[in-house]
Amino acid sequence: MITVVADTQRTDRPHWPVPEERRTVTVLFADIVGSTALVDRLDPEDVRALQRAYFDTVAAVLRRWHGVVEKYVGDAVMALFGARHSDGFDAYRAVRAGLEIQAALDRRPILGDITLRLRVGVATGEAVVDLGGAVSGGHGVASGAVITTAARLQEYAAPGTVALCAATARATAGLIVQRQLAPVPVAGRVPPMPVWHAAGLARPGADRHDGPLIGRRRELASVTDQLTRALHDHDPRWVSLVGPSGSGRSRLLHELTRALRTVDGMPVRWCVVSCPPYPDQVLAPVAELVRGVAGIRHGDGPAAVRDRLTDALTPLYPPNRVAAAVAALQSLLTTPDGSAGTLAAAAVCRDALLRLAAHRPLVVAVDDVDRAAPAVSHFLHALFTAAAARGLPLAVLTVHQPQWADTRPGPVRRVPIRPLATVQSGRLLRHLLTRAGQPVALVDRLLPLVAGRPGHAAAYVRSIVEGADRLTLPLPDAVRRAVGAELDHLDGERRAVLMAAATIGGPVSRDAVDRTLGWVPGRSAPALRGLVAAGLLLARRTDGYVFAAPALRQVAAERLPRALRAVFGSRAAEAPRLDTVRPEALDPTAGRSAAAHPVADRPADVVRLDAVHPRAGRSGAVLAVVAPTVSTRRTAPPRRRLPAATTTTAPAEPGRGTNHPAGTRRLRAVVSASDGPPTRGCATASSTAGPRPADVARTPATIRAAPTVPGPPERGGPVGVGPPAGVVRAAPRPPLIHWPNGLATAA
């Protein structure tokens, strides 16, 4: 008989427009070794006390690492990481929790002299998650093969160890010390499953930045100038490098340390630390600052640490204060846990940095400060405030993601790190592919996928080196984790809007998103504006929105379950695809003055010219904008050449010439840029594409022409008839015809 102990403490179900998601989650499965024999020799009351002590210990560890206990089955525990919210480090948090559970229970007395041994398995994979039930005690929250994989891993784990699957090992590479074992056979799976054992935490190493810096010259010059001004004028400044994951923030920080070496002939001292995800101690970055100032290595013994601290502090402190400062900093290095004594030692570190800045210019740089505990932010605030009060040549440089919100003292100079230009991304990809020994021809395939992010480019090239399919180019795991974390920083409504937009092909409109989600018209407008402000969507001039990165669209679409994806797809298919043309896109003078050009602000109809007899050699499948011609003696400004093919000839009726009386309507043909690439030399409407294939049937169409308006309406005449000024009426986008030469033309 299986005993199920459920945690009944639940939170309220959040307002979530999309109730279920297909998410990449990490599952931890822990079980006691030899529990049957242990229970058989104990009294039932002792079994009950043992279970309580065991479950309380495991639950406390999982709660500390933000894991969700899905269920307790007998003496086994299953927990989910990343079920409702992902920060990109779900696998890392799960492995840390597994190691901490083993440290707390393995061969340690838990009840009297009773000790326990555990097996822990950690697996990462896709699952369907009930977002509303993803709380402790939410039985049946997730469904997927990843749960079975975690259970099988713990069966093959040695007692007292944490076994990892291949996906978890890749996600924690460089953060967890791993040891690969021989693959294990699993029933129903071929080939055998590879297994890794987690051996502990890895020491953070310095990132390699040996390639050339491509792009970022403007950001590098801007930050260098601001830091130089702060150090030269003795006016402390706080500068923030802000960019999403993969934007090259750490590389830019590395280049800054090389670019700014001296100010006014004095060498600049750089104190650079990086914040690992979920540091073991809250003040660990401050302890790293002390190591950097004193030149202390992690392997140094107590005597070496004391000597190096003494050498670093002797020029800064009076002789009678050196010993006390050394003792305080040595305790900070030993246990940077945020206790009262450690906070006092951090104050000594802050005072030492201020004294160092009084001797020479100093820059304190903290990479990934959004990962640090609040105590680190408080330390930096106090350091900056004290330096500003004393007028020291000191600057604070922080590097973080856009969504990190922190209140800093005084004005903050934010330097955004934007995506690389297309030419720069191509140069970077060619460099990475050449260095990796891969064909440079892959640049054309990879260029639209990396979206101007150097980190994404490196991840794609690394995946190709590791054997990824060059034809399909699947999304690398590192990119998927980073993009998923960007999605999870959004509230539920914006995430729903982003997922709905991902199911609509091409640029999306507000009305299409409302229709896809089944919302009242206009409800998605605030969410769309917020997504544009967050840099996830880009607003187009045609009132549409496009995704800033293809990876974002892919992850957002893949998170929808199949049933909901089908519903969204059917709703999106019901709405006609419209090509909207603004009057100012056709006439540069249209938006200058409504009084000077009263007709330019009138709506124009997008129609098809199938019924128009084209000139010899002209493609007959084009879009036309019919606009009234106004006879005026005012000299019109010269018009710029339009980006699309145009013609200003009127339709020729059968059997008639081309002469037309004055005041006739003019037709301007426009080929939409979204329908296909223009042919070479398409500055006019004439085309050299050749005659239309005989097997392509022409679809009859009529031309809807707006009436000729000789001038503004007379007093007393009908006013406000038709659509309002500035509104464009559009016809549905015609189907695409693929010509033999590969040219896609609207037909």
Side-chain angles (χ1 to χ4, degrees):
M1 181 177 180
I2 299 177
T3 303
V4 179
V5 180
D7 185 359
T8 58
Q9 185 178 3
R10 298 172 60 93
T11 59
D12 295 334
R13 185 185 183 91
H15 172 68
W16 211 270
V18 180
E20 291 184 346
E21 287 184 6
R22 298 173 65 102
R23 300 178 59 90
T24 299
V25 300
T26 300
V27 181
L28 181 147
F29 207 97
D31 198 6
I32 299 177
V33 178
S35 59
T36 302
L38 179 63
V39 169
D40 287 343
R41 65 182 179 87
L42 292 179
D43 184 81
E45 294 184 11
D46 295 334
V47 173
R48 184 63 171 175
L50 178 66
Q51 283 183 333
R52 285 180 176 174
Y54 163 65
F55 288 138
D56 289 346
T57 302
V58 173
V61 173
L62 295 174
R63 202 161 41 241
R64 182 161 52 253
W65 291 103
H66 306 289
V68 174
V69 178
E70 207 229 27
K71 57 176 159 292
Y72 302 103
V73 182
D75 51 13
V77 181
M78 192 189 89
L80 303 175
F81 294 81
R84 288 185 59 183
H85 177 81
S86 174
D87 57 0
F89 298 99
D90 308 318
Y92 175 71
R93 289 187 285 112
V95 176
R96 289 291 303 270
L99 292 173
E100 190 170 324
I101 288 172
Q102 292 288 18
L105 295 176
D106 187 52
R107 292 178 175 174
R108 292 176 178 269
I110 187 173
L111 182 66
D113 59 348
I114 300 176
T115 60
L116 297 178
R117 301 218 73 189
L118 270 69
R119 294 188 179 97
V120 178
V122 181
T124 301
E126 190 180 36
V128 178
V129 180
D130 178 5
L131 299 176
V135 293
S136 293
H139 188 75
V141 169
S143 302
V146 62
I147 298 175
T148 305
T149 302
R152 295 292 177 268
L153 279 171
Q154 71 86 21
E155 292 176 357
Y156 288 101
T161 63
V162 179
L164 315 177
C165 71
T168 306
R170 289 193 301 268
T172 58
L175 300 173
I176 299 294
V177 178
Q178 304 167 359
R179 185 174 66 256
Q180 186 173 5
L181 306 179
V184 297
V186 178
R189 293 190 181 183
V190 177
M193 181 172 58
V195 180
W196 283 258
H197 275 179
L201 298 181
R203 289 179 180 174
D207 295 333
R208 293 183 57 187
H209 301 293
D210 50 359
L213 179 66
I214 298 177
R216 308 300 184 214
R217 297 298 179 183
R218 181 177 301 176
E219 294 90 342
L220 182 63
S222 174
V223 179
T224 303
D225 179 68
Q226 294 192 40
L227 296 179
T228 302
R229 288 175 179 270
L231 301 179
H232 172 75
D233 300 338
H234 288 220
D235 181 20
R237 295 189 181 187
W238 188 311
V239 183
S240 291
L241 286 176
V242 184
S245 299
S247 59
R249 299 168 305 182
S250 299
R251 175 58 191 274
L252 185 55
L253 174 59
H254 174 74
E255 293 297 327
L256 286 169
T257 61
R258 299 172 58 184
L260 185 59
R261 296 293 183 89
T262 61
V263 172
D264 297 334
M266 298 185 63
V268 177
R269 180 65 181 266
W270 282 84
C271 296
V272 183
V273 295
S274 179
C275 299
Y278 299 96
D280 197 26
Q281 306 286 348
V282 295
L283 288 177
V286 180
E288 290 300 319
L289 280 175
V290 175
R291 288 190 175 92
V293 170
I296 299 173
R297 295 183 294 268
H298 282 276
D300 291 341
V305 170
R306 184 172 56 255
D307 293 342
R308 292 181 183 274
L309 286 174
T310 302
D311 294 341
L313 298 181
T314 298
L316 305 178
Y317 283 92
N320 58 343
R321 295 187 57 186
V322 172
V326 168
L329 294 182
Q330 196 166 9
S331 66
L332 175 64
L333 295 177
T334 304
T335 55
D337 54 2
S339 61
T342 307
L343 291 175
V348 175
C349 173
R350 180 172 61 249
D351 183 65
L353 292 175
L354 294 172
R355 291 173 179 269
L356 182 61
H359 285 75
R360 56 188 295 190
L362 177 67
V363 180
V364 178
V366 182
D367 193 6
D368 294 319
V369 68
D370 44 346
R371 299 179 184 175
V376 177
S377 295
H378 298 159
F379 173 86
L380 295 176
H381 293 172
L383 175 68
F384 180 79
T385 303
R390 301 182 189 181
L392 298 176
L394 182 144
V396 175
L397 179 62
T398 53
V399 184
H400 57 84
Q401 297 191 33
Q403 63 270 10
W404 185 62
D406 187 24
T407 56
R408 305 174 186 87
V412 179
R413 280 77 173 179
R414 292 172 61 92
V415 178
I417 304 178
R418 296 182 174 87
L420 293 175
T422 303
V423 176
Q424 297 168 345
S425 297
R427 289 174 54 198
L428 176 62
L429 284 170
R430 282 191 292 272
H431 169 75
L432 294 175
L433 290 169
T434 302
R435 190 172 63 176
Q438 301 298 319
V440 182
L442 291 172
V443 170
D444 295 336
R445 301 276 322 276
L446 293 172
L447 195 58
L449 301 178
V450 301
R453 296 191 184 185
H456 290 192
Y460 270 103
V461 174
R462 190 182 308 114
S463 67
I464 293 173
V465 173
E466 294 174 354
D469 189 355
R470 298 182 182 179
L471 297 178
T472 59
L473 290 176
L475 193 66
D477 291 342
V479 178
R480 185 182 300 277
R481 290 192 300 270
V483 172
E486 291 183 30
L487 279 176
D488 285 344
H489 282 294
L490 304 172
D491 56 27
E493 199 152 289
R494 292 185 183 182
R495 273 170 63 182
V497 168
L498 209 60
M499 292 178 188
T503 61
I504 305 173
V508 299
S509 64
R510 181 188 64 186
D511 295 338
V513 173
D514 289 331
R515 187 180 295 106
T516 302
L517 288 171
W519 288 354
V520 296
R523 179 179 171 184
S524 65
L528 288 170
R529 289 193 296 268
L531 292 171
V532 171
L536 303 181
L537 292 181
L538 303 177
R540 304 288 289 268
R541 289 189 61 190
T542 56
D543 295 334
Y545 300 88
V546 295
F547 280 80
L552 183 64
R553 181 172 201 156
Q554 180 177 344
V555 173
E558 291 177 351
R559 280 198 175 185
L560 289 171
R562 290 197 309 265
L564 192 56
R565 197 181 309 168
V567 171
F568 283 5
S570 62
R571 292 176 181 173
E574 294 174 358
R577 295 281 306 281
L578 302 181
D579 282 332
T580 308
V581 182
R582 287 182 177 271
E584 58 267 23
L586 303 176
D587 188 353
T589 66
R592 295 183 182 176
S593 173
H597 304 277
V599 184
D601 294 333
R602 291 181 58 85
D605 291 334
V606 178
V607 298
R608 292 168 52 189
L609 296 183
D610 295 281
V612 178
H613 292 276
R615 298 177 183 176
R618 176 180 299 164
S619 175
V622 293
L623 294 177
V625 173
V626 184
T629 302
V630 180
S631 178
T632 176
R633 295 183 181 179
R634 182 174 301 172
T635 302
R639 297 191 178 187
R640 294 173 296 180
R641 182 176 298 275
L642 299 177
T646 64
T647 181
T648 57
T649 181
E653 298 182 8
R656 296 189 181 184
T658 58
N659 296 327
H660 299 279
T664 187
R665 303 177 179 90
R666 293 190 301 174
L667 298 179
R668 182 178 292 115
V670 178
V671 178
S672 174
S674 61
D675 290 339
T679 58
R680 179 174 298 178
C682 63
T684 64
S686 61
S687 173
T688 59
R692 184 190 302 272
D695 57 343
V696 178
R698 297 177 181 235
T699 305
T702 59
I703 300 177
R704 303 190 303 275
T708 302
V709 181
E714 298 179 358
R715 182 175 300 177
V719 179
V721 178
V727 177
V728 179
R729 292 180 300 199
R733 174 181 294 178
L736 295 180
I737 292 180
H738 299 279
W739 301 102
N741 60 0
L743 174 65
T745 307

